Amino acid sequence: MTTIIFIREKNTKGHEVSGYIDYAHRLKTDPKMAAVFAGKRRMMPTKTDLSFFNWETRQSSATSSPNYEVKTDKLPGIIFKNKRDRKLINPDPKMEPGDNTTRTMLRNCGYLHVVLYDHVTRRKA
């Protein structure tokens, strides 16, 4: 199973930022995750995540990870393609998230908005 985390929150400059984070990739590459688990630091989207948008500066980025390819070239908008089973994950809240994917909105978690997209891969190892 892999998880994409959508976070919308204010950064240290007071700017509202949002983005989609490949959780497994973040755990492997970010040495500051221990501080997140210890409650000393907040997990925030960055320019190196699957997607990032700063609502104040209008800065945006989209970056594929070892687990997901980011597709932004067609409607309905951003789509993530799992590289293991090639299934699409649609983060649009008005649409189904996709095969083998569940969407869970977290409430009262200390962030403005958090949504988890859990994707179970089905390809044989």
Side-chain angles (χ1 to χ4, degrees):
M1 182 170 79
T2 58
T3 300
I4 295 173
I5 304 172
F6 172 78
I7 294 178
R8 184 172 61 92
E9 182 61 321
K10 294 199 183 249
N11 65 14
T12 56
K13 294 180 181 179
H15 298 178
E16 186 174 314
V17 296
S18 60
Y20 293 90
I21 301 167
D22 178 346
Y23 184 53
H25 182 63
R26 177 68 76 92
L27 286 174
K28 288 179 185 176
T29 60
D30 189 350
K32 299 174 185 170
M33 286 302 290
V36 171
F37 289 115
K40 297 177 183 175
R41 185 177 176 87
R42 297 173 65 75
M43 184 185 306
M44 295 292 288
T46 67
K47 297 173 198 168
T48 60
D49 285 316
L50 295 172
S51 78
F52 171 83
F53 188 72
N54 182 316
W55 293 87
E56 180 78 19
T57 65
R58 301 307 223 201
Q59 183 176 19
S60 67
S61 67
T63 308
S64 294
S65 73
N67 299 313
Y68 290 98
E69 178 183 346
V70 179
K71 302 179 123 341
T72 59
D73 53 343
K74 296 181 182 177
L75 291 175
I78 194 165
I79 298 283
F80 305 106
K81 181 178 179 180
N82 184 281
K83 290 182 177 179
R84 182 176 172 89
D85 66 4
R86 299 186 307 270
K87 299 281 186 181
L88 300 178
I89 291 91
N90 186 347
D92 185 340
K94 298 174 189 161
M95 306 285 288
E96 288 296 317
D99 293 342
N100 308 326
T101 302
T102 58
R103 178 188 296 118
T104 307
M105 184 180 293
L106 301 182
R107 301 188 192 284
N108 303 319
C109 59
Y111 291 86
L112 293 176
H113 192 177
V114 176
V115 181
L116 304 178
Y117 297 87
D118 292 320
H119 180 73
V120 178
T121 56
R122 298 287 182 176
R123 194 177 113 196
K124 293 180 183 176

